[in-house]
Amino acid sequence: MSTAPPAAAPLAVPMLDVNRENTRLADELNAAMAEVARSGAFVHGPACHRFEAEMAKYCGAEHAIGCASGSDAILLVLMALGIGPGDEVIVPSFTFFATASAVWRLGAKPVFADIVPDTFNLDPAQVVAKITSATKAIMPVHLFGQCANMGDLRQVSLAARGIPIIEDSCQAIGAEFRGVRTGAMGTAACFSFYPTKNLGGFGDGGLITTNDPELAAKLRVLRDHGQQPRYYHHFVGINSRLDALQAAVLSVKLAHLDDWADARQRHAQRYHDEFARRGLSADIVAPTAAKNCRHVWNQYTVRVKNGRRDALQKFLADRKIGSAIYYPVPLHLQECFAALGYEQGQLPKTEQACREVLSLPVYPELTADEQSTVIEAITEFCAAKNRAAA
Ligand SMILES: *Cc1c(COP(=O)(O)O)cnc(C)c1O
């Protein structure tokens, strides 16, 4: 009986490993958290104000307002704009649930528009087709770390009585559209610090940026039960705080965010080059990065052709390689939105993406050997299929 491990066992590659980033910064993070503990200022204290100021600067926006999550950031902006029953908000269907649920929660109607296949982002032409007299906002999502076509969307907004644009920037902190960073391209932008995002905290957290001072002031009051000063309630708000502990952790990490985005960009480039060099394009369509835009690669998402997406995911899982499907079911076909009356076939590009997409490991600390393991496995999968077909 041999006790030796199997020769050259391929590496297990996790989809994401937050411990690598956190371990490397452990001393700094512990010191920052200890400082908050010592200060006793856990709510809206100096650590929060510092982080809000840093975020405003990072995004090139005038104001930053912390809150409890990206989902709350979206909800708060819609509340601040007075959106409610009878109103419509145009959103993509190919996104995380929170983009549309916030609209629904306020009694307004999410109106789903289709995407541009190459970037997976909201198609401005589809938005035009959905505008009505009830449209109160357009909410593009900068999906997977890449900005939606904000130039065209802004034209659409201007042509339609200046309908506010709310950026869902939860996956795209630091992304740029033709030199302008997400956070100040619309009426407001919403960020998430959920641990899987490019700037991830030790739990939940969110933030809103805006250049509009009145909107910023209203958001500060709305996130604090609509009170100002305490116990004098102007509006019915919610309790949505960015904890000082989270803010302290996020301040430490924000200083590294651009280096991490560069690492993600290098990994994305290597996938792109290797898939091209190996001639896999009949099976694997690499993601497109729009010209003159900074993609921050929250996800590296390929399309797997020929109905083989689930087979590839299983093939990778058998080799202990992580991958993920964002998103398997489009929002317009979710059970909870059945009352809106959408049917299969109404947003064909979104539906096709849901059948084809697979996200691969792209976190900054992914090693060259790990990435080789992923690339080799995908190459093997494509070769096996092509042999079977021959
Ligand atoms: C993560 C995410 C949200 C919600 O953020 P939370 O902090 O998890 O509430 C909203 N929209 C998109 C596109 C997201 O990826």
Side-chain angles (χ1 to χ4, degrees):
M1 215 168 69
S2 167
T3 54
L11 287 168
V13 186
M15 180 60 191
L16 174 67
D17 181 357
V18 293
N19 288 334
R20 296 188 194 184
E21 168 179 306
N22 294 336
T23 306
R24 233 179 260 181
L25 299 177
D27 289 346
E28 255 186 285
L29 291 167
N30 287 335
M33 288 189 289
E35 171 55 30
V36 174
R38 259 195 309 273
S39 78
F42 299 119
V43 174
H44 299 169
C48 294
H49 296 141
R50 187 184 336 126
F51 179 65
E52 287 178 339
E54 289 166 352
M55 274 294 291
K57 181 158 182 272
Y58 184 82
C59 297
E62 294 289 323
H63 311 276
I65 303 100
C67 63
S69 68
S71 303
D72 273 6
I74 296 168
L75 182 69
L76 283 162
V77 171
L78 294 170
M79 288 171 77
L81 294 175
I83 288 169
D87 297 336
E88 297 178 358
V89 178
I90 300 175
V91 296
S93 172
F94 192 58
T95 176
F96 180 61
F97 182 63
T99 312
S101 65
V103 177
W104 181 275
R105 276 177 65 176
L106 293 173
K109 186 164 143 190
V111 174
F112 295 109
D114 217 344
I115 54 169
V116 184
D118 61 351
T119 63
F120 300 110
N121 277 324
L122 196 56
D123 181 348
Q126 296 294 314
V127 172
V128 172
K130 304 261 169 166
I131 289 176
T132 71
S133 58
T135 308
K136 290 290 152 56
I138 302 166
M139 188 153 36
V141 177
H142 304 320
L143 202 69
F144 302 147
Q146 167 158 250
C147 288
N149 186 336
M150 292 300 288
D152 287 2
L153 286 170
R154 212 171 351 212
Q155 291 304 315
V156 169
S157 151
L158 287 175
R161 59 194 154 77
I163 296 174
I165 296 178
I166 304 166
E167 300 178 78
D168 181 341
S169 306
C170 289
Q171 299 183 8
I173 184 169
E176 291 172 12
F177 183 78
R178 298 182 194 147
V180 183
R181 190 163 280 191
T182 179
M185 290 190 283
T187 300
C190 304
F191 295 88
S192 166
F193 308 116
Y194 184 74
T196 65
K197 312 293 177 167
N198 284 21
L199 181 61
F202 283 2
D204 280 308
L207 184 130
I208 302 151
T209 55
T210 180
N211 282 341
D212 179 337
E214 279 172 38
L215 190 65
K218 187 155 189 193
L219 286 163
R220 285 187 195 284
V221 177
L222 277 174
R223 73 166 172 185
D224 191 23
H225 282 304
Q227 61 184 344
Q228 189 185 49
R230 192 175 280 184
Y231 309 128
Y232 291 80
H233 298 266
H234 306 280
F235 329 97
V236 178
I238 61 176
N239 171 19
S240 185
R241 293 171 181 135
L242 178 62
D243 288 333
L245 277 170
Q246 295 299 345
V249 163
L250 292 165
S251 277
V252 170
K253 291 190 168 197
L254 182 59
H256 300 271
L257 185 61
D258 284 328
D259 288 342
W260 293 334
D262 289 347
R264 287 173 182 272
Q265 165 62 32
R266 283 194 299 276
H267 300 330
Q269 189 65 48
R270 182 165 174 226
Y271 277 132
H272 187 95
D273 293 346
E274 286 295 324
F275 293 156
R277 193 173 67 80
R278 290 159 192 250
L280 306 186
S281 63
D283 301 293
I284 305 291
V285 180
T288 307
K291 280 209 180 58
N292 307 321
C293 298
R294 184 191 191 209
H295 195 321
V296 294
W297 302 103
N298 178 241
Q299 300 297 338
Y300 183 87
T301 304
V302 300
R303 287 176 184 265
V304 187
K305 305 306 283 184
N306 313 309
R308 304 265 297 158
R309 189 267 311 275
D310 294 350
L312 174 56
Q313 187 173 39
K314 180 172 184 308
F315 187 89
L316 295 175
D318 289 345
R319 284 152 186 77
K320 298 197 163 34
I321 296 170
S323 65
I325 298 171
Y326 305 118
Y327 296 91
V329 181
L331 295 187
H332 69 284
L333 298 179
Q334 294 286 350
E335 190 182 340
C336 64
F337 295 137
L340 294 172
Y342 286 87
E343 283 170 21
Q344 186 93 30
Q346 279 185 302
L347 301 177
K349 295 188 175 111
T350 294
E351 292 164 26
Q352 185 179 353
C354 289
R355 289 190 296 271
E356 293 182 342
V357 288
L358 190 66
S359 297
L360 304 175
V362 75
Y363 53 92
E365 304 79 11
L366 183 71
T367 67
D369 285 348
E370 287 172 327
Q371 193 174 17
S372 298
T373 300
V374 181
I375 293 165
E376 292 300 337
I378 292 173
T379 308
E380 198 187 323
F381 174 84
C382 295
K385 172 228 147 195
N386 292 334
R387 262 200 312 280

